[in-house]
Amino acid sequence: SDVRKLMYLRGLWFIYEKEDGGCETIFSRKYMTVESRVKNSAGANYVEIPPVASEFARLFKTEVLEGAKKEISTNVGSISMRNGTIWPIVYLKRNGIYFVTVVVVEEFLRTSFKPSLLSTPEITAATAALEDISTLVAPCISRGGKILVAEVTALVGGAIPFGQPLD
């Protein structure tokens, strides 16, 4: 679709929800080419994604899943950092695994103002991309969150080179 051609992902995480309620990152990838564009575009509004995947997973669980940072009845949330907000965090859950991404919304980067979800096609496109990725990698993830890392890395690399999903 046309929107997908204009959509960029800052990162991608697969977060397994453990029996004890904890979360474990079983796959993560940050797109440094996208991140440098975001940094330039956002200027003083730039908010870094936590560099450690386990820290991102902890914040995702506490702020998005358990906290009030989730947009009502959507799979979109935000994480508050010391110097601002990471938004939009788009996610979906399949077989006990959260497929999570932070999508680039230029208006938000420049102004820190959240546009209406209805006027943000990047969120719809990111949800579709996560659905595609979750289907693509499903055969490589077993119950209990065990993952075939090399296969998933190759599949994700082919489907989302440099943070931009292919059709």
Side-chain angles (χ1 to χ4, degrees):
S1 78
D2 290 341
V3 173
R4 272 205 206 189
K5 288 179 177 54
L6 303 172
M7 182 190 59
Y8 290 92
L9 306 179
R10 293 177 65 183
L12 184 66
W13 296 264
F14 303 168
I15 300 171
Y16 174 67
E17 191 173 39
K18 299 194 290 198
E19 301 283 326
D20 65 7
C23 281
E24 176 188 353
T25 305
I26 58 173
F27 177 85
S28 72
R29 166 168 291 170
K30 283 173 64 184
Y31 295 100
M32 300 323 288
T33 50
V34 175
E35 204 56 20
S36 63
R37 273 191 43 217
V38 164
K39 200 172 198 172
N40 289 335
S41 184
N45 292 328
Y46 176 72
V47 180
E48 182 184 22
I49 292 172
V52 179
S54 59
E55 176 65 4
F56 179 84
R58 185 188 67 75
L59 290 167
F60 171 74
K61 181 178 181 349
T62 57
E63 294 216 17
V64 179
L65 297 179
E66 297 170 354
K69 300 282 194 262
K70 181 177 174 242
E71 312 278 340
I72 304 301
S73 73
T74 67
N75 284 1
V76 179
S78 61
I79 292 175
S80 297
M81 302 298 286
R82 274 196 310 276
N83 64 328
T85 301
I86 298 169
W87 182 89
I89 297 169
V90 181
Y91 65 96
L92 57 88
K93 187 178 183 183
R94 296 278 185 276
N95 302 324
I97 296 167
Y98 288 95
F99 293 84
V100 184
T101 190
V102 179
V103 67
V104 174
V105 176
E106 292 289 340
E107 180 184 349
F108 178 74
L109 292 178
R110 288 193 303 272
T111 65
S112 296
F113 173 77
K114 291 181 191 174
S116 123
L117 295 183
L118 294 174
S119 68
T120 314
E122 297 91 339
I123 291 174
T124 306
T127 302
L130 288 176
E131 287 172 354
D132 292 348
I133 285 293
S134 68
T135 302
L136 185 67
V137 302
C140 302
I141 303 174
S142 66
R143 287 209 177 283
K146 297 293 170 248
I147 186 169
L148 300 172
V149 177
E151 289 85 341
V152 169
T153 301
L155 289 169
V156 169
I160 310 176
F162 311 110
Q164 188 174 26
L166 300 176
D167 285 341

